[in-house]
Amino acid sequence: MRAVIQRVTHASCTVEGAITGKIEQGFVVLLGVEESDIKDDMTWLAQKIVNLRIFSDEQGLMNKSIQDVDGNILLISQFTLFAQTKKGNRPSFIRAGKPDIAKPMYLEMGQLLSDLLGKEVQMGVFGGDMKIDLLNDGPVTIIMNTKDKDNF
């Protein structure tokens, strides 16, 4: 799994003119699922996300987690995180999980994050044409990859 975590002051997801998820302070998490991902990858990543200390404390240092600031999460499925651009100019998405694998994992990740956070996680629509509106705070953007845990 790959995730791009953006610290935001607010964000929303709109599909076909309807808002599917909307948050104030928190994270927008763009989540890509790979064919070889397993539940352990999901558990590791969810724990990292909710414990990531990238919110400012009273001294202005990044010492607080999303739980510490009572923040929210907007989770967006994004298969393009597995784009391969080695050959040519048109990306290949062959490593991205097929919908029958990726969709259940995306939905389960939403539930897992909700359980860990103690509140409902807002969601996009898997496979939908989503329009994401956000204000990146900082900007602070973190990339995580469960297949390369030592470097992320």
Side-chain angles (χ1 to χ4, degrees):
M1 285 185 164
R2 288 186 183 161
V4 175
I5 299 111
Q6 298 179 69
R7 186 180 75 182
V8 299
T9 58
H10 66 269
S12 64
C13 176
T14 303
V15 178
E16 296 179 8
I19 294 176
T20 65
K22 185 175 182 176
I23 65 168
E24 293 302 320
Q25 179 184 35
F27 294 152
V28 169
V29 178
L30 307 175
L31 180 71
V33 176
E34 191 173 16
E35 288 287 326
S36 61
D37 286 331
I38 59 175
K39 186 160 177 95
D40 286 347
D41 294 315
M42 188 180 344
T43 302
W44 179 86
L45 184 58
Q47 288 285 343
K48 285 299 237 182
I49 291 169
V50 298
N51 291 301
L52 196 60
R53 296 184 331 174
I54 59 173
F55 289 94
S56 297
D57 65 12
E58 294 72 24
Q59 287 76 41
L61 300 173
M62 287 196 278
N63 265 334
K64 292 190 174 188
S65 72
I66 195 165
Q67 296 169 317
D68 295 331
V69 299
D70 195 30
N72 300 288
I73 295 175
L74 174 59
L75 182 65
I76 305 296
S77 64
Q78 190 164 357
F79 75 94
T80 60
L81 293 179
F82 283 100
Q84 290 180 300
T85 58
K86 183 177 179 179
K87 294 165 81 176
N89 293 316
R90 183 175 178 188
S92 168
F93 303 105
I94 196 140
R95 289 183 50 204
K98 305 293 182 274
D100 62 321
I101 292 170
K103 185 176 181 178
M105 290 191 93
Y106 166 69
L107 295 172
E108 190 173 346
M109 176 63 95
Q111 186 59 57
L112 182 55
L113 287 169
S114 290
D115 293 346
L116 291 170
L117 199 56
K119 62 169 83 173
E120 183 180 357
V121 166
Q122 299 293 298
M123 308 275 288
V125 174
F126 184 90
D129 182 12
M130 295 176 277
K131 308 302 181 205
I132 311 302
D133 180 43
L134 63 91
L135 183 57
N136 194 316
D137 181 19
V140 174
T141 303
I142 306 290
I143 301 170
M144 292 186 179
N145 184 344
T146 62
K147 301 296 189 264
D148 194 12
K149 294 174 185 157
D150 292 337
N151 291 314
F152 285 95

